[in-house]
Amino acid sequence: SQILRHPPPVCILVLGLVGVSCLLFLFQSPKRSPLLEVAESPGPPTTAAPRAPEPLPECRLNASVANLTGFAQLPDHIKDFLRYRHCRAFPLLLDLPGKCGAPEASHQVFLLLAIKSAPENYERREIIRKTWGQERTFAGMHIRRVFLSGVAANAREARKLNQLLRLEQAEHGDVLQWRFVDSFFNLTLKQVLFYAWLESRCPGVRFVFNGDDDVFANTDNMAQYLLGVPGAGDQHLFVGHLITNVGPVREKWSKYYVPEQLIASNDYPPYCGGGGILMSGYTCHAIYQQSLSIQLFPIDDVYLGMCLEKAGLAPAFHIGVRMVGVRVPSSRLESFDPCYYKELLLVHRFVPYEMLVMWEALRQPDLVCGKNVVVGQSL
């Protein structure tokens, strides 16, 4: 066979057309998989995320806080909190405009599970979806679920985790993500943004469970308890693990360290531990209204207590919320026995596999316990 060193003109023309077509293809905007797209959502951050929330153009660093007495001696994360404390408007990367249906019909949602979850906590979210966080009806009442998330501080991790959250959104439709750094001191910001979202998207919701992704919540018991609450979410309700007569931690080594530059008082108002709180739609609206005029505070559950105090409302204790686990009568007994959890509303803290094991154990029809503890009341 003969090798063509100089192809005829027709071949040159064909090859030229093919080359032009390839160049046009390369210069076209690539079509991404629909699993990676979210309507009207910007892509993941491409620059290093700051240690403090990334300000919008109209929200600049407050340099004047450097004049506060003792500012230079504060830890860096507290300095950043003070610099950006006034910033509370951040874009939604992932929204759920139809989670409660149309706003005017959102009263049909009986219980909304609002679960705080850092972007990397994928396993916890998956287990919650399969267990106590299932979207379903209970006694004809609709239970819905949302996860509340920010953005990872590390830019490389943020790109991957934002893509993960978009995949979760495409499959489950249950992620609310804002473009601020997801950190302990930004939990209050996450709460404030959630209440603003609730006011816009789900204003008529009857009740809300607001908690962490490392708790075990018996949502059957929650719904049963709420069915017995007077009204239909139109009266004050805010129950959980009540904390009173405490104040700011002043030791710098503590995760909860709060200096006098943030709060001069040595007393916090009564509040419920942020691991898990049940509240009515009425109270959610009151918290939102008060949050508009109360400066952000780095401890989120204390901040909710501040909002309640200003609204003239009080948090309440519920015996079924156990933020420090359950106590058993003897060290020889197994504390993971489902009979200790059968009548409770919430227990902190569970690792993911324990949630699944306990959820399945409690749903066994042949579960028999020697003594039932009545917990369906607030004290």
Side-chain angles (χ1 to χ4, degrees):
S1 61
Q2 183 180 7
I3 298 176
L4 295 177
R5 297 181 182 275
H6 303 285
V10 174
C11 294
I12 293 174
L13 179 60
V14 171
L15 290 172
L17 290 173
V18 171
V20 171
S21 299
C22 291
L23 286 173
L24 289 174
F25 175 78
L26 289 173
F27 282 112
Q28 283 182 342
S29 298
K31 291 184 178 180
R32 303 173 64 188
S33 164
L35 290 178
L36 300 180
E37 295 291 334
V38 177
E40 301 179 359
S41 294
T46 56
T47 58
R51 282 156 44 191
E54 180 181 352
L56 296 175
E58 66 273 14
C59 187
R60 299 182 181 275
L61 175 150
N62 179 11
S64 68
V65 296
N67 298 324
L68 293 173
T69 302
F71 180 84
Q73 287 72 48
L74 294 175
D76 288 343
H77 68 285
I78 293 179
K79 289 180 181 177
D80 282 339
F81 181 85
L82 285 165
R83 291 179 181 124
Y84 293 98
R85 188 182 194 178
H86 58 291
C87 301
R88 55 168 72 200
F90 293 85
L92 265 170
L93 300 181
L94 297 173
D95 194 5
L96 296 167
K99 174 56 67 173
C100 298
E104 61 272 15
S106 57
H107 64 278
Q108 297 178 17
V109 176
F110 179 71
L111 175 60
L112 178 67
L113 309 174
I115 306 152
K116 295 169 283 184
S117 184
E120 65 270 19
N121 292 350
Y122 170 73
E123 185 181 1
R124 293 182 186 178
R125 291 190 293 274
E126 281 294 281
I127 291 295
I128 289 172
R129 289 170 178 132
K130 295 177 180 178
T131 57
W132 60 264
Q134 293 175 25
E135 294 196 315
R136 55 200 173 97
T137 59
F138 181 89
M141 301 296 179
H142 298 297
I143 298 175
R144 295 292 179 263
R145 171 191 70 239
V146 294
F147 290 103
L148 314 177
S149 188
V151 175
N154 179 277
R156 183 174 297 177
E157 290 300 308
R159 284 192 288 270
K160 294 185 291 184
L161 290 170
N162 285 3
Q163 182 171 327
L164 169 66
L165 290 175
R166 290 203 297 273
L167 287 167
E168 292 181 55
Q169 182 78 318
E171 183 175 358
H172 302 289
D174 60 1
V175 180
L176 285 173
Q177 185 191 25
W178 292 267
R179 196 174 182 181
F180 67 85
V181 175
D182 201 307
S183 65
F184 177 70
F185 261 33
N186 279 344
L187 284 175
T188 301
L189 176 61
K190 182 182 289 189
Q191 295 283 60
V192 167
L193 290 169
F194 165 66
Y195 284 108
W197 177 88
L198 195 71
E199 194 78 5
S200 171
R201 301 295 198 192
C202 202
V205 65
R206 306 283 190 85
F207 299 98
V208 170
F209 167 73
N210 183 225
D212 295 337
D213 63 5
D214 62 350
V215 302
F216 177 80
N218 192 328
T219 40
D220 286 357
N221 287 353
M222 282 186 185
Q224 191 65 56
Y225 161 70
L226 293 172
L227 285 169
V229 169
D234 55 358
Q235 299 180 31
H236 171 56
L237 177 76
F238 192 94
V239 299
H241 177 75
L242 184 63
I243 300 173
T244 60
N245 302 316
V246 300
V249 175
R250 302 300 192 187
E251 288 78 18
K252 288 187 176 181
W253 53 263
S254 174
K255 172 183 178 180
Y256 301 95
Y257 169 59
V258 175
E260 293 182 354
Q261 289 87 345
L262 281 172
I263 183 171
S265 172
N266 289 320
D267 298 304
Y268 284 152
Y271 65 97
C272 287
I277 306 167
L278 273 175
M279 61 193 80
S280 64
Y282 172 92
T283 303
C284 288
H285 177 72
I287 290 173
Y288 167 74
Q289 290 293 333
Q290 299 306 323
S291 72
L292 298 176
S293 58
I294 299 179
Q295 272 194 318
L296 295 183
F297 186 74
I299 313 300
D300 64 322
D301 44 15
V302 174
Y303 183 80
L304 296 185
M306 293 175 175
C307 292
L308 290 178
E309 182 179 55
K310 187 173 180 182
L313 303 173
F317 168 75
H318 195 295
I319 196 172
V321 176
R322 306 294 175 88
M323 297 306 298
V324 291
V326 298
R327 294 181 181 179
V328 297
S330 169
S331 60
R332 292 175 296 179
L333 297 176
E334 172 55 60
S335 63
F336 201 68
D337 187 327
C339 287
Y340 292 119
Y341 299 84
K342 185 179 180 181
E343 303 296 327
L344 298 178
L345 301 189
L346 178 141
V347 179
H348 185 268
R349 140 180 335 185
F350 268 45
V351 298
Y353 84 86
E354 290 176 327
M355 292 187 196
L356 181 59
V357 172
M358 183 57 67
W359 180 256
E360 292 300 324
L362 289 173
R363 298 177 80 81
Q364 295 303 312
D366 57 349
L367 176 63
V368 178
C369 299
K371 182 179 180 180
N372 290 331
V373 180
V374 177
V375 297
Q377 58 183 341
S378 279
L379 301 178

